[in-house]
Amino acid sequence: MAMDPKILKRAAASRLYSQRYRLKQINYIAQLEAKARALEAEVAAAYPKIRDADAQNSMLRAENGSMQEKLSVLSGEIMLKEAKYHELKKEKDALKQLSLMQLSPAFAESSQPNHYGYPPVNNMAMDQPGFNQFVGAVAPPPMMQNQNTENEFRFDVNFGDNYNPM
């Protein structure tokens, strides 16, 4: 039985195409398997890093919790100290008022704060205790020590008509 050369040629071309296609599929599968092995190796290499990062994260979370607890304790201590400070300040002011009343009853009455929060100073004698308590003794201004009429540039301040720079 003799076959037509066109049919034989077409059958040979079809077999060749099928063979190339199978080789192409095998190569593609091999490439995918190689990529899969590379990704598995990458995951295996990254796993210890991830485990270490998780351990560090949990350690930092624990440290953060302890720091927040310390902050809470310190905030409570600050509030207690501020309350004690205000209490001591009130006690100091009360003792100051008491000492002023013992020193001078007239001064204690006049030193009650006015509506501005300051003690009134009218009708207060200058020799009364507490007057100008924050101002020290004021010394008179010193007299000129150097009566030289030349300034630092050696010019005669009172030069008039006979000006001589040197």
Side-chain angles (χ1 to χ4, degrees):
M1 193 160 115
M3 291 202 70
D4 189 19
K6 284 186 179 181
I7 294 176
L8 288 177
K9 189 176 177 185
R10 185 171 274 182
S14 178
R15 267 186 249 123
L16 186 60
Y17 175 79
S18 295
Q19 190 179 8
R20 282 188 203 149
Y21 180 74
R22 283 190 294 272
L23 285 176
K24 204 176 197 182
Q25 280 184 331
I26 290 172
N27 283 336
Y28 180 70
I29 290 171
Q31 286 176 353
L32 288 177
E33 288 174 349
K35 282 183 182 180
R37 283 190 299 272
L39 289 174
E40 286 174 356
E42 189 177 328
V43 166
Y47 183 73
K49 292 178 185 177
I50 292 170
R51 190 179 52 219
D52 290 343
D54 283 342
Q56 187 177 9
N57 186 12
S58 63
M59 197 168 69
L60 288 174
R61 286 182 188 271
E63 185 180 352
N64 186 22
S66 69
M67 293 292 231
Q68 285 180 344
E69 187 176 315
K70 285 180 184 178
L71 180 64
S72 174
V73 168
L74 291 175
S75 295
E77 287 179 12
I78 285 176
M79 288 176 25
L80 287 174
K81 288 187 181 195
E82 284 179 349
K84 187 167 185 165
Y85 167 77
H86 290 297
E87 180 181 324
L88 289 173
K89 188 175 180 182
K90 286 180 183 177
E91 185 178 347
K92 179 193 83 158
D93 291 340
L95 288 173
K96 187 176 180 181
Q97 287 295 325
L98 183 64
S99 68
L100 286 175
M101 286 184 358
Q102 287 177 350
L103 288 175
S104 171
F107 176 71
E109 290 173 6
S110 69
S111 68
Q112 294 299 319
N114 58 17
H115 63 281
Y116 294 112
Y118 299 107
V121 289
N122 53 355
N123 299 331
M124 184 185 294
M126 287 189 197
D127 60 347
Q128 221 174 4
F131 186 81
N132 280 341
Q133 60 186 356
F134 299 110
V135 178
V138 179
M143 300 301 286
M144 286 183 58
Q145 301 293 329
N146 187 3
Q147 296 294 333
N148 190 358
T149 59
E150 292 183 359
N151 63 13
E152 61 187 66
F153 301 109
R154 297 191 185 267
F155 291 123
D156 188 4
V157 177
N158 300 322
F159 58 88
D161 290 322
N162 54 356
Y163 174 71
N164 186 3
M166 290 290 185

